[in-house]
Amino acid sequence: MKYVIVSGGVLSGLGKGVTASSLGVLLKSAGLCVTAIKIDPYLNSDAGTMSPFEHGEVFVLDDGGEADLDLGNYERFLDVTLGRDNNLTTGKIYSKVIESERRGDYLGKTVQVVPHITDSIQDWIQEVAHRPEEGTNNTPDVCVVELGGTVGDIESAPFIEALRQFQFRVGPENICFVHVSLIPVMSPVGEQKTKPTQHSVRELRGLGITPNVIICRSERQLSEDARQKIALFCHVKPNAVLSASDVSNIYRVPLLLDQQGALVLLSQKFGFKIPAERPLLDEWMEMATNVDGLTEEVCIAMVGKYTGLSDSYLSVIKALNHASIASSRKLVIEWIEASNLENNVAKSDPQIHADSWERLKNADGILVPGGFGDRGIEGKILAAEYARTSSTPYLGICLGLQIAIIEFCRNVLNWDNANSTEFNDNTPHPVVIYMPEISKTHLGGTMRLGSRGTIIKDRKSMASKLYDGAEIVYERHRHRYEVNPDVIEKIELAGMNFVGKDETGQRMEIIELSNHPFFFATQYHPEFKTRPTRPSPPFYGLLMAASKQL
Ligand code: GLN
C-alpha cells in the first residue's frame, strides 16, 4: 500500500480536496486502484450536526455516514463508493480510545495522546486503506490521505504526529508527503510572494515531516523565480514544486498537474511504471474541452437559504453541472433567497421582493434543494406554486418534495394551513409528519440515512424514463419527516402521482405531476451519486426539460 499524504498551509479553502482528488485521478490513470481518507481534526464525531452554512454541505454516504464534503470530491473524481470510516475525526478517534480504556484494554497504563491516540490514528488509516473497493475484492494500491485544516492548528497536532510516525511504520518508499500552499500576489507590483509558503513548510518540517512535493495555489501560473525560491527555502527539488493556478473548469486540475510531471514524481517515489496510453486522462481532457465549449445557456433558479457560502449546496451544484454537460447547455444558477419571495417582504423591502420574483420568473427551471428549519419555507411554497401553475420545470429534493406536497394540499385540495409538523406542530392538516422510528432526544446520526431502495412500478412515469426503466433504484437519504401516509390517496386522486415508494410501499420517495412538462421531486438526495459522465437522472431531467429537449 502506498500513501499520499496531503497537508495544507497558510489558509483553509485552498482547494486542497480538489488537488488531492486530482492526484488520485492521475494515479488511477496509471491503472492503480485508489482510495481516499479525509481527516477532519474537529471534535465532532461526524459532520451530521454541523451547519452547512458554516462548514459547507454535509455529504451523505451509502452506509449512512454523514461526512465532510471532500468525500464527495473523492467519490466523483475517483468514481468510487466510500464509507463513514473514510472520514476520520478527532471525535471518532477519542471515542474509540476511551471505549478501549473503559473495556480495560490498556490496563495499568496511563492513556495518552502519544502513543495511544497516535497509534490509534495510524491503525485506522492502515485498516481503512486496505478495505477492498466497494463491490469487488480489489485491495487498493494507493490511499490518498487528506489532512483537513492548516498545519500548525492545535487540533491537527496529534494527526501530524501520527503521520510523522507513520513514515517509519510503512517505510519511506511507501509514503509521499504533498503540501498544498498559497502564493499570494501583492498588487500593484504583481510579485508572487513565497514567504507564507516558506513559513508553513518550516512549521511542517519542525513537526518532523518534510514534504516531497509542494503544490502552489495561485491565480496565475507560478513564476520560475518563485519556483526556484520555494525549492531553495523549502528543501525540495525545483521540479517538485508544482503550480496549481486558476483554471477555466475543475476537470483541468488533474491535466494541469499531469503536464508538470506530478505523476512522474509519484512514480519515481513509489516505483511504478506509467503506461504509454492513459485513456482515463483522455476522458478528462474531453470533459474539460466540452465544458469550455458550452455556449447556449440554461438558467436554473435555486430557491434556498443563503449566507454567501455556495459550498452549502456543493453536490447539488455538481449534479447540475454534470447534467448541463450531458444536455449540452451552459449552466447559469440564479440564487434566490426563499424568504425574499414572501408577501411580507413586498411591504418591508419591495425592491428585493420584486427583483427576486423577476429572477425566479426569468429562469428556465426551478430547484428547491434540501433543508432544515422554518426560515424561507413560505417563500419556497410560493416558488413551487409558481412552477406548478406556470408549467415551469420543477425539481424538489427532500425538503423540496415536502414543500411541493404542502403547496399542492393548500392550493389544489384547498386544505387551509396544510403544513409539515416540522414547521407547525398544530397545523389542521399535517401532510408531512415526523417518521415514527426517528429519535426525539438525539440529533446526531439518527435521521433516516444512507442508501435505500426506491421501487418504481409505473413504467410510463417520468421516473421510469429517467432511470432507464429500472424497477428499483438506490439513492441516499437524510431526513426525519415524510409524507403522511393517511393523506396519500386523496393527493393522488387530485393528480399528484407517487411513482416511487420504498420496499414496504408505505414511504413515499418520488412524486410527479400529471399534465405538467416536468414537476418532479424526490424524498432522497440524488445529488450525492452524480458523476461527471453519469449525471444524476432527476437533474438530467430538470436540465433537459428546462432547455426544452425532454
Ligand atoms: N427537514 C426535512 C426532514 O427532516 C428535510 C430534510 C432534507 O431536506 N434533507 O425531513
Side-chain angles (χ1 to χ4, degrees), residues 405 408-409 412-413 415 431 483-498 501 505-506 508 511:
I405 291 288
F408 192 82
C409 292
V412 177
L413 293 169
W415 295 352
V431 293
V483 182
N484 186 345
D486 293 344
V487 298
I488 285 161
E489 219 180 287
K490 288 189 188 119
I491 297 177
E492 202 143 38
L493 282 173
M496 173 78 84
N497 305 317
F498 295 89
K501 302 179 182 177
Q506 290 294 302
M508 300 304 117
I511 59 168

Coordinates of all heavy atoms in Angstrom, one line a residue, residues 405 408-409 412-413 415 431 483-498 501 505-506 508 511:
I405 N -45.6 19.0 -1.7 CA -46.8 18.4 -1.2 C -47.6 19.4 -0.4 O -48.9 19.5 -0.5 CB -46.4 17.2 -0.2 CG1 -45.8 16.1 -1.1 CG2 -47.5 16.7 0.6 CD1 -46.8 15.3 -1.9
F408 N -49.4 21.7 -2.8 CA -50.5 21.0 -3.5 C -51.7 20.9 -2.6 O -52.8 21.1 -3.0 CB -50.0 19.6 -4.0 CG -50.9 19.0 -5.0 CD1 -50.8 19.3 -6.3 CD2 -51.7 17.9 -4.5 CE1 -51.6 18.6 -7.2 CE2 -52.6 17.3 -5.4 CZ -52.5 17.6 -6.8
C409 N -51.5 20.5 -1.4 CA -52.6 20.3 -0.4 C -53.3 21.7 -0.1 O -54.5 21.7 0.0 CB -52.1 19.7 0.9 SG -51.6 18.0 0.6
V412 N -54.5 23.0 -4.2 CA -55.3 22.2 -5.1 C -56.4 21.5 -4.3 O -57.6 21.5 -4.6 CB -54.4 21.2 -5.8 CG1 -55.3 20.2 -6.7 CG2 -53.4 21.9 -6.7
L413 N -56.0 21.0 -3.1 CA -57.1 20.3 -2.3 C -57.7 21.3 -1.3 O -58.7 21.0 -0.6 CB -56.4 19.2 -1.5 CG -55.9 18.0 -2.3 CD1 -55.0 17.1 -1.4 CD2 -57.1 17.3 -2.9
W415 N -56.8 22.6 1.4 CA -56.6 22.3 2.8 C -55.9 23.5 3.5 O -54.6 23.6 3.4 CB -55.8 21.1 3.1 CG -56.6 19.8 2.6 CD1 -57.8 19.8 2.1 CD2 -56.0 18.5 2.5 NE1 -58.1 18.5 1.8 CE2 -57.0 17.7 2.0 CE3 -54.8 17.9 2.8 CZ2 -56.9 16.3 1.7 CZ3 -54.6 16.6 2.6 CH2 -55.6 15.8 2.1
V431 N -49.6 17.3 6.7 CA -49.4 16.4 5.5 C -48.0 15.9 5.4 O -47.7 15.0 4.6 CB -49.8 17.2 4.2 CG1 -51.3 17.5 4.2 CG2 -49.0 18.5 4.1
V483 N -44.0 12.1 3.9 CA -45.4 12.4 3.6 C -46.3 11.6 4.5 O -46.1 10.4 4.6 CB -45.6 12.2 2.1 CG1 -47.1 12.5 1.7 CG2 -44.6 12.9 1.2
N484 N -47.3 12.2 5.0 CA -48.2 11.5 5.9 C -49.0 10.4 5.1 O -49.7 10.7 4.2 CB -49.2 12.5 6.5 CG -50.1 11.9 7.5 OD1 -50.2 10.7 7.6 ND2 -50.8 12.8 8.3
P485 N -48.8 9.1 5.5 CA -49.4 8.0 4.7 C -50.9 8.2 4.6 O -51.6 7.7 3.7 CB -49.0 6.8 5.5 CG -47.8 7.2 6.3 CD -48.0 8.6 6.6
D486 N -51.5 8.8 5.6 CA -53.0 8.9 5.7 C -53.6 9.8 4.6 O -54.8 9.8 4.3 CB -53.5 9.5 7.0 CG -53.2 8.6 8.2 OD1 -52.9 7.4 7.9 OD2 -53.2 9.0 9.3
V487 N -52.7 10.7 4.0 CA -53.3 11.6 3.0 C -53.0 11.3 1.6 O -53.4 12.0 0.6 CB -52.9 13.1 3.3 CG1 -53.4 13.5 4.7 CG2 -51.4 13.3 3.2
I488 N -52.2 10.2 1.4 CA -51.7 9.9 0.1 C -52.8 9.7 -1.0 O -52.7 10.2 -2.1 CB -50.7 8.7 0.2 CG1 -49.4 9.2 0.8 CG2 -50.4 8.1 -1.2 CD1 -48.5 8.2 1.4
E489 N -53.8 8.9 -0.6 CA -54.8 8.6 -1.5 C -55.5 9.8 -2.1 O -55.7 10.0 -3.3 CB -55.8 7.7 -0.8 CG -56.3 6.6 -1.7 CD -57.3 5.7 -1.0 OE1 -56.9 5.0 -0.1 OE2 -58.5 5.9 -1.2
K490 N -55.8 10.7 -1.2 CA -56.5 12.0 -1.6 C -55.7 12.8 -2.5 O -56.1 13.4 -3.5 CB -56.9 12.8 -0.3 CG -58.0 12.1 0.4 CD -58.6 13.0 1.5 CE -59.5 12.3 2.4 NZ -59.1 12.2 3.8
I491 N -54.4 12.9 -2.2 CA -53.5 13.7 -3.0 C -53.4 13.1 -4.4 O -53.4 13.7 -5.4 CB -52.1 13.8 -2.4 CG1 -52.1 14.5 -1.0 CG2 -51.1 14.4 -3.3 CD1 -50.8 14.5 -0.3
E492 N -53.3 11.7 -4.4 CA -53.1 11.0 -5.7 C -54.4 11.2 -6.6 O -54.2 11.5 -7.8 CB -52.9 9.5 -5.4 CG -52.2 8.9 -6.6 CD -51.2 7.8 -6.1 OE1 -51.4 7.1 -5.1 OE2 -50.1 7.7 -6.8
L493 N -55.6 11.2 -5.9 CA -56.8 11.4 -6.7 C -56.8 12.8 -7.4 O -57.4 13.0 -8.4 CB -58.0 11.2 -5.8 CG -58.4 9.8 -5.5 CD1 -59.5 9.7 -4.4 CD2 -58.8 9.0 -6.7
A494 N -56.1 13.7 -6.8 CA -56.1 15.1 -7.3 C -55.1 15.3 -8.4 O -54.9 16.4 -8.9 CB -56.0 16.1 -6.2
G495 N -54.3 14.3 -8.7 CA -53.4 14.4 -9.8 C -51.9 14.4 -9.5 O -51.1 14.6 -10.4
M496 N -51.5 14.3 -8.3 CA -50.1 14.2 -7.9 C -49.8 12.7 -7.8 O -50.5 12.0 -7.0 CB -49.9 14.9 -6.6 CG -48.5 14.8 -6.0 SD -47.3 15.8 -6.9 CE -47.5 17.4 -6.0
N497 N -48.8 12.2 -8.5 CA -48.6 10.7 -8.5 C -47.4 10.4 -7.7 O -46.3 11.0 -7.8 CB -48.4 10.2 -9.9 CG -49.6 10.6 -10.8 OD1 -50.7 10.5 -10.4 ND2 -49.3 11.1 -12.0
F498 N -47.6 9.4 -6.9 CA -46.5 8.8 -6.1 C -45.9 7.6 -6.8 O -46.4 6.5 -6.7 CB -47.0 8.4 -4.7 CG -47.5 9.6 -3.9 CD1 -48.8 10.0 -3.9 CD2 -46.6 10.3 -3.0 CE1 -49.3 11.1 -3.2 CE2 -47.0 11.4 -2.3 CZ -48.4 11.8 -2.4
K501 N -41.8 4.3 -4.3 CA -42.0 4.1 -2.9 C -41.0 3.2 -2.4 O -40.3 2.5 -3.2 CB -43.4 3.4 -2.7 CG -44.5 4.3 -3.3 CD -45.9 3.6 -3.1 CE -47.0 4.5 -3.8 NZ -48.3 3.9 -3.7
G505 N -43.8 0.0 0.6 CA -44.9 0.7 -0.1 C -45.5 1.8 0.8 O -46.5 2.5 0.4
Q506 N -45.0 2.0 2.0 CA -45.5 3.0 2.9 C -44.9 4.3 2.8 O -45.5 5.3 3.1 CB -45.3 2.5 4.4 CG -46.1 1.3 4.7 CD -47.6 1.6 4.8 OE1 -48.0 2.4 5.6 NE2 -48.4 0.9 4.0
M508 N -43.1 7.4 0.8 CA -43.1 8.0 -0.5 C -41.7 8.5 -0.9 O -41.1 9.2 -0.1 CB -44.1 9.1 -0.6 CG -45.6 8.7 -0.2 SD -46.1 7.4 -1.3 CE -46.4 6.0 -0.2
I511 N -42.4 11.9 -6.3 CA -43.7 12.4 -6.8 C -43.5 13.0 -8.1 O -42.5 13.6 -8.5 CB -44.3 13.4 -5.8 CG1 -43.4 14.6 -5.6 CG2 -44.6 12.7 -4.5 CD1 -44.1 15.8 -4.9

